[in-house]
Amino acid sequence: MSLSKLAFRNLKNIRHNMMYLGAVTFAILIYYTFLAIRSNEAMLNANEMYGKLGTVFTGSSIILAVFSTIFIWYSSDFFLRRRKQELGLYALLGLERKQIAQLIFIETMGYGMVGLIIGTALGTVASKYFVQLLAHVMAIDIEATFTISLAAMGQTIAVFLVIFLLIALRSARTIYRFTLIELFKANQQVEVIPKVHPILAVLSLLLIGFGYYLTGQPLLDHFTVVAPLLMVCIIVGTFGTMSYFTIFLLRVLSKQARHFEGTNLILHGQLLSRVKSNAVMLSTITIITAVTLTTVGAATSIYYFIDRTVEQQMPYSLSVASKRQEAEQLIKESNQTIEQRTMVNVKNVDHQMEELPNPLYLTKYYRTYAMDGSKGQFSYINYSDYGRLAKANGKRVLPEPQQGEAIVLETFKGNDLLQERVKSPVGIKINDIHSSFRITGETDLPIAQLYEKQRLAFVVSDDAFAMMPERAWMLTNYQFSDERTDDGLMKKLEALYGKQAETDMAAYYPVYAITTATTGLLAFAAGFLGLVFLLATGSIIYFKMLAEAEESKHRFAIIQKVGVAQGEQASIIRRLVGFVFSLPYFLGLIHSIFAMQVLQKLLNYNIVMPTVLAIGCYTVVYLVYYIMTVRAYRRIVM
């Protein structure tokens, strides 16, 4: 029988290699689907931002390719391990190593070709529904169809042919590393109990603790130094924890009285003999778990608070500084209804402040004060207009400032990431070209969304306002019945104002649309990658544990002969697999929680709900992998 016929017969034995073929097909399916979404014509035509954010998909596709390589690598490792005795039999029957290597090479490439056919076919179907999901989160109305992307297919074939070629060469090379007797005794490897290093174990925990401490510091002040140091501490500490602290912990447990109760002796022996060889895998999965939970949690949180974010930037449906009657006529002709209209007189003053008060000087988000001798622009409104504006926005009306007093508007509230503390501006005096004003109150009430949030504004008494020689501008703010939809009103308004649109008009809907599209796209990419990371890590543990199950058959055969009941054997398997699954999960979860605290400070939102949602979804899928692994492990050893 020729090698090609033997390889073809082995390829037809799908039942024994279904998990390997499934892993290969899944990796191809995900990669092709992602590329098909990136090049979808309907999405490109529907939203301009989709095309501009192509770098998101490009970077994500590179990450997917790397993970696919790791994923298939682990899968093929399990596939090769369970066949070592079969390969030894081929050698015993007279096949040369070169022929066995050629056989493995042909089979690996054969499974790759089958996976490419099935994966691209399923990806073509899946891409339609993923495009619909992406359009939904981006708030775009499109009709997705089944399309075959030749560019995506060509790139998928090229990438995975390279991956399969590397893995096939690696698998073939493995044949030359083992002697015939080693192939037959592949499932009887002798494992040594690792040594304990208490100092390294404690040092690993201290590194992680120091990394957690750094997350509570003002990162942005020294970001280029603190951020890399934090990452190094967490990563090195994680690898040290898996390599040294787990061994130290297991050895401590082995000296306890409970070590000799029931099947604990067998379980602890199994864990100690395996933990050192699994340290790199467990550390990698811990870091991936932390990155996945943090990335998905961050994207979910940002998307969850889209409304609040846009509301802070654009508190009104529309603000105009001129052509008010023409603008209102266009509004009447549209589907929008004006629910509220507020008008405020504003005087803009160019001046240099002799003294910059806290917190206005400390914050990094004010560009309006004088800097290096240049003039800054400030706005003043009278107390009467302020009162009407505050009531319209549901804000508490502060007491009226007296002569020489003022209320500061849109004061930056401060952030722990930017500065340790922010002093109150109340009581501080500012000097401008008109007079001195003592700050008696502060509020974040915006006078209009025409001006950037960085612009400082002050409320003064009606008399003080009238005495200022600058020209007063009438700003009008509108609240619409449904500001999240647009029937063409925005284009008509832009045409009305022409070149003045950037200065005399600002609307909620364009900002909402672009923010939703951008954030939705980023959330989708993060969720998609998170799903891939989750499935990849779960599958890596799955194949790793099944490979160890093949090597543990003789151990469980001895356990059965000495009279250990099947229920107790099942308990050993559940706890053994549970330890491998839970250790990277819980440590990665703790890492992500500290990282999410940093994000919460940055966003200044309570992100508990979206974070819990992301962790919950991750945990459910992770538990499914645990149950699958336990069942497969039992079928092998029992």
Side-chain angles (χ1 to χ4, degrees), residues 208-269:
I208 293 178
F210 182 66
Y212 290 164
Y213 167 76
L214 290 177
T215 61
Q217 304 309 303
L219 298 180
L220 295 188
D221 288 344
H222 307 285
F223 185 80
T224 56
V225 176
V226 176
L229 179 61
L230 187 155
M231 294 179 63
V232 169
C233 288
I234 295 296
I235 293 174
V236 175
T238 298
F239 275 85
T241 298
M242 295 300 178
S243 301
Y244 304 109
F245 181 76
T246 51
I247 297 172
F248 173 75
L249 180 62
L250 289 171
R251 290 300 294 269
V252 170
L253 291 176
S254 66
K255 296 179 181 180
Q256 305 297 316
R258 293 188 60 185
H259 173 67
F260 302 96
E261 296 179 1
T263 57
N264 288 341
L265 180 64
I266 301 173
L267 175 65
H268 293 164

Side-chain angles (χ1 to χ4, degrees), residues 298-575:
T300 304
S301 300
I302 294 173
Y303 187 76
Y304 188 83
F305 291 107
I306 285 179
D307 294 342
R308 188 180 300 182
T309 302
V310 178
E311 187 71 26
Q312 288 181 345
Q313 298 177 17
M314 313 298 287
Y316 307 106
S317 301
L318 176 67
S319 293
V320 298
S322 64
K323 301 180 181 179
R324 182 173 65 87
Q325 294 181 349
E326 295 92 329
E328 289 194 10
Q329 182 60 37
L330 292 177
I331 297 171
K332 291 179 182 179
E333 294 172 0
S334 69
N335 294 330
Q336 294 289 359
T337 301
I338 300 176
E339 292 188 340
Q340 190 177 76
R341 179 194 298 105
T342 54
M343 291 178 285
V344 57
N345 291 285
V346 178
K347 289 187 177 181
N348 296 326
V349 180
D350 291 333
H351 62 198
Q352 289 179 292
M353 298 184 73
E354 297 178 8
E355 178 184 359
L356 294 177
N358 288 327
L360 311 181
Y361 177 78
L362 290 178
T363 59
K364 301 177 181 180
Y365 281 90
Y366 280 118
R367 296 200 304 264
T368 54
Y369 52 73
M371 183 179 296
D372 296 331
S374 62
K375 292 185 176 182
Q377 190 177 65
F378 295 78
S379 299
Y380 287 88
I381 67 173
N382 61 50
Y383 184 77
S384 298
D385 286 347
Y386 157 74
R388 287 191 293 269
L389 199 62
K391 291 178 181 178
N393 285 273
K395 300 282 187 177
R396 183 176 68 90
V397 179
L398 299 178
E400 181 177 3
Q402 302 303 311
Q403 186 67 29
E405 295 179 344
I407 299 171
V408 62
L409 296 182
E410 300 186 339
T411 303
F412 185 71
K413 295 302 181 183
N415 192 300
D416 290 341
L417 286 175
L418 301 175
Q419 55 204 27
E420 295 184 1
R421 61 181 180 273
V422 176
K423 297 179 181 179
S424 172
V426 176
I428 290 176
K429 283 187 177 182
I430 60 171
N431 302 317
D432 67 11
I433 59 177
H434 297 296
S435 61
S436 297
F437 293 100
R438 178 178 176 273
I439 304 300
T440 60
E442 58 177 328
T443 178
D444 60 353
L445 176 68
I447 56 176
Q449 57 202 25
L450 290 169
Y451 298 149
E452 297 177 354
K453 292 289 286 185
Q454 292 86 347
R455 179 188 295 260
L456 293 182
F458 299 96
V459 179
V460 295
S461 65
D462 293 0
D463 293 338
F465 183 83
M467 292 176 62
M468 293 180 179
E470 287 77 17
R471 176 187 174 185
W473 296 87
M474 174 66 75
L475 303 182
T476 307
N477 301 313
Y478 300 94
Q479 292 292 355
F480 294 159
S481 55
D482 187 7
E483 60 187 5
R484 298 181 185 175
T485 61
D486 177 43
D487 60 346
L489 174 62
M490 295 302 119
K491 289 186 177 180
K492 293 178 181 178
L493 288 171
E494 290 174 359
L496 171 66
Y497 285 96
K499 295 181 179 180
Q500 292 179 303
E502 294 185 0
T503 57
D504 287 13
M505 177 202 116
Y508 174 92
Y509 178 79
V511 177
Y512 173 78
I514 194 172
T515 303
T516 303
T518 305
T519 308
L521 179 59
L522 294 176
F524 177 85
F528 199 93
L529 289 177
L531 175 63
V532 173
F533 293 169
L534 170 57
L535 297 178
T537 52
S539 298
I540 288 172
I541 298 178
Y542 177 87
F543 285 117
K544 182 69 174 178
M545 293 305 297
L546 294 197
E548 293 186 359
E550 293 284 347
E551 298 174 358
S552 298
K553 282 183 178 180
H554 68 284
R555 290 189 179 91
F556 279 87
I558 295 174
I559 291 173
Q560 292 170 8
K561 290 178 181 179
V562 298
V564 178
Q566 285 195 350
E568 293 179 319
Q569 294 179 50
S571 175
I572 294 174
I573 294 172
R574 286 195 300 270
R575 288 187 290 167

